Amino acid sequence: MQNVPGFLWKLGQLNHVAIAVPDLEKARSFYQDVLGARVSKTVLLPEHGVYTVFVELGNTKLELLHPLGKNSPVTGFLQKNKVGGMHHICIEVDDIKAAMAHLKEKKIRILSEEPKIGAHGKLVIFLHPKDCNGVLVELEEA
Amino acid sequence: MQNVPGFLWKLGQLNHVAIAVPDLEKARSFYQDVLGARVSKTVLLPEHGVYTVFVELGNTKLELLHPLGKNSPVTGFLQKNKVGGMHHICIEVDDIKAAMAHLKEKKIRILSEEPKIGAHGKLVIFLHPKDCNGVLVELEEA
């Protein structure tokens, strides 16, 4: 998809849209019973501080996130957005280290010094929302 | 994708994620020059009150929205979210009238009595964010 000459890495597909929800069962029911989507069982990701339900949309998926334990990354978001809301988008890249070098050159702040292991067991980074038009952007090495 | 028995309509793919931005050129540059995505020229949609730039991600697209004229549907959003943010998600359906009947039965509020012609020239409805876990959901008849 990425066709700009001089890039040493390629942007890929939209991996998921993450939605933080105050009530996971209610959110699951909305996607399953109201919209008729195929949804997963609840997946516990204690190392990421979230319960997750995946909503399959064919070309990509939604990830419903609910806080698990203290220090969950979605607790603060839900305090500000009590009914829930869109939390981040995740786009795939082919080479996360090359992407990081390019982002640093472009003065885009990355929220960690090194990539972390994300919810899918792959390397991820998050970009500062203020440098991305108010959107928390996750890049995942596909 | 939608496999629930008894449904008279089918949910389809994620058509797009819409992102409202206060500075369209800056947002275009982020996706094109920083992330290396393929982006469209600016499209004026006066009947929808927005300037739009499409960001192609292969499996789906992002739509960058900026207010055009008075009464733009994104003006209020940008007053609350000054740096921009995720505005809505759009999911395809095969039969919008059947979807509407089902949504009414499930007590999900639809923001118009009838479907409207959306930005892609197709029939669309928007669902009340408070009934959708804080997310403004657009359904588009594909």
Side-chain angles (χ1 to χ4, degrees):
Chain A
M1 273 306 96
Q2 189 261 46
N3 296 291
V4 182
F7 271 62
L8 299 173
W9 56 287
K10 279 190 185 175
L11 196 71
Q13 297 194 329
L14 183 75
N15 186 279
H16 64 267
V17 178
I19 296 170
V21 300
D23 183 334
L24 199 53
E25 287 316 308
K26 192 177 162 194
R28 178 213 303 282
S29 174
F30 172 72
Y31 285 100
Q32 184 172 49
D33 305 326
V34 177
L35 292 188
R38 197 187 307 171
V39 305
S40 75
K41 291 184 179 173
T42 302
V43 179
L44 277 70
L45 298 168
E47 69 278 26
H48 294 283
V50 289
Y51 296 90
T52 306
V53 169
F54 301 98
V55 179
E56 277 301 335
L57 293 177
N59 58 337
T60 188
K61 58 188 179 296
L62 309 180
E63 293 190 10
L64 309 178
L65 306 178
H66 184 75
L68 168 59
K70 294 172 185 177
N71 308 317
S72 169
V74 294
T75 300
F77 181 91
L78 285 173
Q79 281 166 352
K80 283 183 219 153
N81 304 274
K82 294 200 189 303
V83 293
M86 284 182 268
H87 187 265
H88 68 263
I89 57 173
C90 175
I91 310 176
E92 297 174 359
V93 297
D94 66 342
D95 183 341
I96 206 150
K97 286 282 188 183
M100 286 178 82
H102 180 74
L103 289 160
K104 281 177 187 170
E105 195 182 293
K106 294 284 189 181
K107 312 285 187 205
I108 303 296
R109 286 168 284 178
I110 300 167
L111 300 184
S112 59
E113 281 300 308
E114 294 293 329
K116 296 185 174 183
I117 304 290
H120 314 122
K122 296 181 174 176
L123 292 175
V124 304
I125 55 173
F126 284 87
L127 313 185
H128 198 304
K130 286 200 177 160
D131 295 344
C132 308
N133 317 289
V135 177
L136 179 60
V137 175
E138 179 181 15
L139 298 181
E140 176 177 300
E141 191 170 89
Chain B
M1 273 306 94
Q2 188 260 48
N3 297 290
V4 182
F7 271 63
L8 298 174
W9 56 286
K10 278 190 185 175
L11 197 70
Q13 297 194 329
L14 183 74
N15 186 278
H16 64 267
V17 179
I19 296 171
V21 301
D23 182 334
L24 199 53
E25 287 316 309
K26 192 177 162 194
R28 179 212 303 283
S29 174
F30 173 72
Y31 284 101
Q32 183 170 49
D33 305 326
V34 176
L35 293 188
R38 199 186 307 171
V39 305
S40 75
K41 292 184 180 173
T42 301
V43 179
L44 276 71
L45 298 169
E47 68 278 27
H48 294 283
V50 289
Y51 296 90
T52 305
V53 169
F54 300 97
V55 179
E56 276 300 334
L57 293 177
N59 58 338
T60 189
K61 57 188 180 296
L62 308 180
E63 293 190 10
L64 309 179
L65 306 178
H66 184 75
L68 169 57
K70 293 173 185 176
N71 308 317
S72 170
V74 293
T75 300
F77 181 90
L78 286 172
Q79 281 167 353
K80 284 183 218 154
N81 303 274
K82 295 201 187 303
V83 294
M86 285 183 268
H87 186 267
H88 68 263
I89 58 173
C90 175
I91 310 176
E92 297 174 358
V93 298
D94 67 341
D95 183 340
I96 207 149
K97 287 281 188 183
M100 286 179 81
H102 181 75
L103 289 160
K104 282 177 187 170
E105 194 182 294
K106 294 284 189 180
K107 312 284 186 206
I108 304 296
R109 286 168 284 179
I110 300 167
L111 300 185
S112 59
E113 281 300 308
E114 293 294 327
K116 296 185 174 182
I117 304 291
H120 314 122
K122 296 180 174 177
L123 291 175
V124 303
I125 55 172
F126 284 87
L127 313 185
H128 198 303
K130 287 199 177 162
D131 295 344
C132 308
N133 317 289
V135 177
L136 179 59
V137 175
E138 179 181 13
L139 298 181
E140 175 178 301
E141 191 169 270

